[in-house]
Amino acid sequence: MKVELVLAGVGGQGVLLMAEALGTAAVASGLNARVSEIHGMAQRGGSVVCHVRIGEGVLSPTVMDGQADAIVGLEPVEALRVMRYASRKTLVLLNTRPIIPPSVAMGAARYPDLEDILHVLGGFAGRVITLDAVKLAEEAGSTVAANTVMLGALASTNILPMDVDTLREAVVSLVPERFRDVNVLAFKLGYEAVKR
């Protein structure tokens, strides 16, 4: 079995941590995994994209156009930017909470309506699941844990070749101890939100 994932967001949302957790969980499960990252001005809120490929025969770390099994968008417009990796087999898991870029805040550009974004995503992908990961992260104790909410949500889709406990343990092993309880709860809330 081979699984190809594309994770997209902006700097500070924890896209790199998500990719590292997925790779760590895959290796802990005895699976072959490759992880890559592409980021520009990430510390300034710029785009961050990670590719995660898991399974037999995976040699290259990058997903080819149209080959993603799942795209996880931590930010709606950033999900749009990576739709070239989608096809009708692709599941898009989308955090609906936008991060307004400076050009929009200054009135130089317009942020698209969420309905328009969902329409475009639905035109590329086979299935789109939405959730407000920031709201669920707030319930867990920190908005910073929205990425962990999305990992829990991804785990509930049954796309991943490793079990839920292994992925949750990978997250726990990667976050500072003082944030572990928040992240365990965030993972659970994301998992349950999509499982419902």
Side-chain angles (χ1 to χ4, degrees), residues 73-122:
L74 282 169
E75 203 286 329
V77 167
E78 295 304 323
L80 283 177
R81 290 186 206 276
V82 296
M83 278 302 103
R84 72 174 193 248
Y85 301 109
S87 68
R88 299 314 293 172
K89 75 171 185 173
T90 306
L91 164 69
V92 174
L93 186 59
L94 182 70
N95 172 30
T96 57
R97 188 76 65 99
I99 294 179
I100 304 301
S103 59
V104 173
M106 294 185 313
R110 185 183 76 80
Y111 194 94
D113 294 330
L114 182 60
E115 286 182 21
D116 294 337
I117 292 171
L118 293 174
H119 178 73
V120 173
L121 295 178

